[in-house]
Amino acid sequence: MIQFNSNTLLTFVFLLTSLACHQLIAHPLTSEKKNDIILDFAKSIYSEPKIQKLTSSTILTVIDFSVKPIHRRLWVIDIENEEILFHTLVANGVSSSHFSNKPHSHESSIGVFLTGRTYYGRHGLSLELNGIDGKFNNNAKRRHLVVHKAKYATRKFIHIHHTLGRSWGCFAIAPRVSHDIIDTIKNGTILIAYYPNKEWLNHSPYISPSTPRLSEYPLD
């Protein structure tokens, strides 16, 4: 039978407590670092002269599809005040590693978008997206790619299914934040859907060699 004296027990309790604290703070610290990278990325994109000509709004949205769906990977940023207004989950189309500009593909498109008007459709309040990044997303309107709410883009859905659901290409967000986010980013703000696609990174007119590569800073 193993016997423990008081000093041994105190050391054991201290080690367990330290381990628990480390596990609790590890993810927030990683997320905070990722937020800094996202902010740098957003400022870099916003400073591009071609972006400046497209919008007078300092609100910019970043979706990082290199992040796993179980993590929050949509950021709405106030560039002027360097503030993250929203950071939430977002679901994409039928594939998490392949993106398309083709009609009926049911895959999301990457690249730079300009937000349009809002309307009420089958998913309630929705936001039109105009693809302005050439062959990477210029069929967005034709494909009816929009931002809309969905119950499959929630923590509850992840808890049950261990991942988010899939849209038919649209950017789907949780119902509880959808109205606030759509109202914030509607009518001519920039939205960037990022993925480390070399062709896009090398040929998009809105991405420069100095633009941070988000996939180099994974959450996990």
Side-chain angles (χ1 to χ4, degrees), residues 33-101:
K33 176 62 176 176
K34 184 73 175 186
N35 288 345
D36 291 340
I37 298 299
I38 290 290
L39 190 56
D40 288 343
F41 175 82
K43 289 189 293 184
S44 176
I45 293 290
Y46 189 79
S47 66
E48 290 292 323
K50 290 182 179 180
I51 292 291
Q52 295 284 322
K53 293 178 181 178
L54 292 170
T55 182
S56 59
S57 173
T58 58
I59 300 299
L60 188 145
T61 304
V62 177
I63 299 173
D64 184 0
F65 283 132
S66 68
V67 174
K68 293 180 180 179
I70 59 171
H71 297 302
R72 295 179 297 163
R73 53 185 184 163
L74 181 151
W75 292 259
V76 178
I77 299 162
D78 179 347
I79 298 291
E80 185 175 19
N81 296 307
E82 298 190 1
E83 180 183 0
I84 294 174
L85 304 178
F86 300 96
H87 182 200
T88 191
L89 299 167
V90 59
N92 57 277
V94 295
S95 175
S96 290
S97 59
H98 188 267
F99 299 86
S100 175
N101 191 34

Side-chain angles (χ1 to χ4, degrees), residues 55-57 114-118 127-128 182-190:
T55 182
S56 59
S57 173
L114 193 65
T115 63
R117 68 178 184 90
T118 59
L127 175 64
E128 289 184 345
I182 288 173
D183 281 342
T184 300
I185 70 174
K186 65 184 180 182
N187 296 333
T189 72
I190 295 296

Side-chain angles (χ1 to χ4, degrees), residues 193-212:
Y194 177 93
Y195 191 74
N197 177 291
K198 289 184 179 179
E199 186 177 7
W200 172 62
L201 291 172
N202 291 332
H203 294 97
S204 171
Y206 308 106
I207 302 292
S208 70
S210 62
T211 303

Side-chain angles (χ1 to χ4, degrees), residues 128-184:
E128 289 184 345
L129 296 173
N130 302 295
I132 58 173
D133 217 339
K135 65 180 182 179
F136 300 103
N137 64 15
N138 61 6
N139 284 325
K141 252 192 142 171
R142 179 183 171 192
R143 297 180 61 207
H144 306 290
L145 297 189
V146 301
V147 179
H148 65 70
K149 68 180 179 181
K151 291 182 179 179
Y152 56 75
T154 62
R155 282 286 171 206
K156 182 177 180 180
F157 191 93
I158 292 176
H159 181 72
I160 297 171
H161 301 281
H162 309 294
T163 189
L164 291 184
R166 299 293 172 81
S167 70
W168 280 10
C170 294
F171 304 144
I173 55 181
R176 68 177 182 84
V177 296
S178 62
H179 275 65
D180 289 340
I181 289 178
I182 288 173
D183 281 342
T184 300

